[in-house]
Amino acid sequence: MRDEQRIESLASERSVLVRLLLPSHKSEVDPLAELTGLATTAGTDVVGGLVQRREKPDQKTFIGKGKVNELKGLIDQFEADVVIFDNDLYPGQTRNLEQALHTKVIDRTELILDIFASNAQTYEARLSVELAQLEYSLPRLKRMWTHLSRQSMGVGMRGPGETQLEVDRRLVETRIHELRESLQKVERRRERQVAARSDNATVSLVGYTNAGKSTLMNALTGADVEAADKLFATLDTRTRRWQLIGWGPVLLSDTVGFIRDLPHRLIASFKATLEEARQAELLLHVADASNPAVLDQIHAVYKVLEEIGIEEKDTLLVLNKIDAIESRQLLERIVDRYPNALTCSAKAGIGLKELSLAVGDALSREFLDLHVDIDPSNGKLQAYLSAKGEVLSREMTSEVITVHCRMPRKTLGEIRRTALQVRSGDSRPLPPEPTADDFRPRKKNETIESE
């Protein structure tokens, strides 16, 4: 339903980049660096750029009148086909700029949506992107359509009629409703899939786009997932088995990359894709240590994690690409800021053993070292221990089988229910068995003494 010019890929077009810096924006060596990467990923040939500092955006054209004239000069000089803003524009501002420049103008959100649309491969990703695009387009229909004359009305249909814009709006709203219903079904299916693996330890890779998450996943698991040197190469979650040193197998998931000012509608649309990260026992936050803006990127990822409600999940910061760092001072500055961060290079294979050991230590906080005494006839419990955890050793007599194992904390109740006895295999005490009071609904303002 969108105008062909608006949905056509940006590939092969010549672009001029624009960014408005407000007083709240930090100083950067190259304010257009990230936008250049996005525009290049979208397939455009970047031929020029323009940066302006203002106290606040111009209501009509976002940038000042003088900068509009300067931008028009750049467009004419380089014969540009599209102007890309590193800011979000109101529909009226985009319309005014297009009229003044006689050139297509898109903002940051529309550019990211174009990249997502190009990279979406699975049914779920295509649904998510289409929903985000339609929600973005809805308030902009007036700009995108030219057939706004009133519909002709026949005999028995007298009246002012209905504008084509109103018909288009209703059709878009209907499609949005259909997409939301379809995505809800996908989300419920994904939740069931994740729940089916809930007895296995799960680790999820998160981080800024192009930080090397897919390369790290390949290095750790021997997988062969795409690891292209471009932004948003991964839109769909991939899960692989990872054999941890001194621990055993865990499930490692690679998720969609984040970015500064990631559009909220994209976060909402990709809720199902992010379900793996939401349910994981541990997050590995992968950052590109060689990027001069790495500290800002780390902050941006934590901000997105907060928006999707998983900022308090146990997280290890992994500084990747240390072999590509040109200045050791940059790495020292990052480590001073995040002293518990792990350093590695997925491409060069540096620090992967240390990373594996650190992940095992972190997961140990959610697992219990147990000695379980089992009746020899209770084959079901023996199979349960082998399936849900890691069996370290077995001692058998005619009366009892003692299994030394490492089990997820959440399996303790099921083990206690049928085992002869359960003892701690290390110095840590076992959690107490729940009582009836633990399942009693609390009254308003009621507290428990131990709290």
Side-chain angles (χ1 to χ4, degrees):
M1 291 184 57
R2 298 184 63 188
D3 178 37
E4 291 182 1
Q5 184 186 28
R6 306 303 306 183
I7 62 171
E8 190 177 76
S9 174
L10 296 173
S12 76
E13 293 184 316
R14 297 163 66 86
S15 62
V16 173
L17 311 183
V18 182
R19 184 177 180 188
L20 178 65
L21 297 175
L22 300 174
S24 58
H25 291 152
K26 296 180 180 179
S27 299
E28 301 176 41
V29 177
D30 183 1
L32 293 176
E34 183 171 275
L35 185 61
T36 301
L38 288 168
T40 302
T41 299
T44 71
D45 180 15
V46 178
V47 295
L50 185 67
V51 177
Q52 182 185 29
R53 285 192 175 274
R54 284 177 65 98
E55 289 296 320
K56 60 180 180 179
D58 182 84
Q59 290 186 350
K60 293 184 177 180
T61 59
F62 199 74
I63 55 176
K65 184 177 180 180
K67 286 296 181 181
V68 172
N69 293 332
E70 185 179 344
L71 181 56
K72 184 68 169 65
L74 284 174
I75 294 169
D76 294 339
Q77 177 184 351
F78 296 108
E79 299 181 350
D81 305 295
V82 58
V83 175
I84 304 176
F85 274 75
D86 197 19
N87 310 87
D88 285 334
L89 305 176
Y90 288 119
Q93 292 170 333
T94 304
R95 183 172 59 250
N96 293 337
L97 284 166
E98 288 182 338
Q99 290 174 352
L101 301 173
H102 306 292
T103 305
K104 180 170 62 176
V105 176
I106 69 173
D107 62 12
R108 179 182 176 86
T109 293
E110 193 166 4
L111 174 63
I112 294 175
L113 288 174
D114 183 274
I115 296 171
F116 271 57
S118 300
N119 291 352
Q121 301 295 326
T122 65
Y123 172 72
E124 178 184 328
R126 289 194 294 269
L127 284 180
S128 301
V129 172
E130 184 182 356
L131 175 59
Q133 286 179 320
L134 289 178
E135 289 179 332
Y136 171 85
S137 303
L138 188 59
R140 293 166 171 79
L141 286 177
K142 190 173 182 179
R143 167 167 73 90
M144 295 160 56
W145 290 89
T146 56
H147 54 289
L148 299 179
S149 58
R150 291 188 178 277
Q151 295 175 300
S152 58
M153 308 301 290
V155 176
M157 299 289 287
R158 305 294 184 185
E162 189 176 29
T163 65
Q164 183 65 48
L165 173 62
E166 291 166 343
V167 174
D168 296 336
R169 185 181 297 277
R170 190 168 63 250
L171 291 173
V172 170
E173 289 174 342
T174 300
R175 180 57 179 160
I176 287 175
H177 178 71
E178 293 172 351
L179 287 170
R180 284 176 177 166
E181 287 189 336
S182 297
L183 275 173
Q184 285 175 358
K185 293 178 181 178
V186 171
E187 289 169 12
R188 289 194 291 269
R189 184 168 66 249
R190 175 60 65 84
E191 288 173 359
R192 290 195 297 269
Q193 291 173 348
V194 175
R197 303 195 299 259
S198 62
D199 290 324
N200 297 299
T202 55
V203 180
S204 185
L205 296 168
V206 298
Y208 214 78
T209 182
N210 208 31
K213 298 186 300 299
S214 296
T215 303
L216 182 60
M217 183 175 194
N218 289 339
L220 295 175
T221 66
D224 189 24
V225 301
E226 181 184 3
D229 185 17
K230 63 180 182 179
L231 304 181
F232 298 118
T234 301
L235 293 188
D236 303 292
T237 299
R238 281 80 62 92
T239 301
R240 300 291 186 272
R241 187 175 294 273
W242 177 22
Q243 190 72 25
L244 274 181
I245 298 175
W247 173 267
V250 300
L251 297 179
L252 182 66
S253 297
D254 184 17
T255 61
V256 60
F258 300 150
I259 198 170
R260 168 178 58 83
D261 301 327
L262 187 66
H264 292 281
R265 54 180 57 88
L266 270 180
I267 296 175
S269 297
F270 277 80
K271 180 181 176 182
T273 303
L274 295 170
E275 186 64 26
E276 299 279 355
R278 195 186 308 275
Q279 298 293 338
E281 276 90 6
L282 179 68
L283 299 181
L284 294 185
H285 175 180
V286 183
D288 179 2
S290 67
N291 193 310
V294 60
L295 291 176
D296 292 332
Q297 292 182 353
I298 291 173
H299 175 73
V301 171
Y302 282 130
K303 186 176 180 181
V304 175
L305 291 176
E306 184 177 354
E307 290 180 14
I308 62 179
I310 59 175
E311 75 279 8
E312 294 183 359
K313 190 174 289 291
D314 199 4
T315 305
L316 294 179
L317 177 61
V318 181
L319 302 177
N320 191 25
K321 304 185 183 182
I322 60 170
D323 58 318
I325 296 179
E326 297 180 358
S327 170
R328 301 300 300 180
Q329 293 179 346
L330 174 61
L331 181 58
E332 292 172 1
R333 186 158 56 96
I334 305 170
V335 173
D336 285 343
R337 180 78 175 271
Y338 300 98
N340 295 323
L342 302 166
T343 58
C344 75
S345 169
K347 187 175 182 180
I350 301 171
L352 300 184
K353 180 178 179 180
E354 291 77 8
L355 173 60
S356 180
L357 292 172
V359 170
D361 289 341
L363 287 175
S364 294
R365 294 192 288 267
E366 293 299 322
F367 281 71
L368 299 173
D369 191 288
L370 303 176
H371 285 294
V372 184
D373 291 341
I374 308 172
D375 189 297
S377 63
N378 191 349
K380 185 176 181 180
L381 179 55
Q382 296 180 53
Y384 181 84
L385 297 179
S386 299
K388 304 304 181 183
E390 181 184 10
V391 174
L392 304 176
S393 66
R394 282 188 177 89
E395 294 181 7
M396 292 177 282
T397 67
S398 59
E399 299 179 353
V400 66
I401 299 175
T402 300
V403 178
H404 181 201
C405 55
R406 184 185 290 118
M407 302 296 297
R409 184 179 295 267
K410 54 193 169 187
T411 63
L412 182 58
E414 178 65 21
I415 296 171
R416 276 175 164 156
R417 192 174 65 83
T418 58
L420 298 176
Q421 186 178 10
V422 182
R423 305 181 305 281
S424 175
D426 52 29
S427 58
R428 294 182 299 169
L430 292 179
E433 294 192 47
T435 64
D437 284 341
D438 293 322
F439 301 99
R440 176 177 58 83
R442 296 189 196 180
K443 298 178 182 178
K444 190 175 181 180
N445 299 325
E446 181 183 4
T447 59
I448 292 179
E449 256 183 60
S450 61
E451 296 178 345

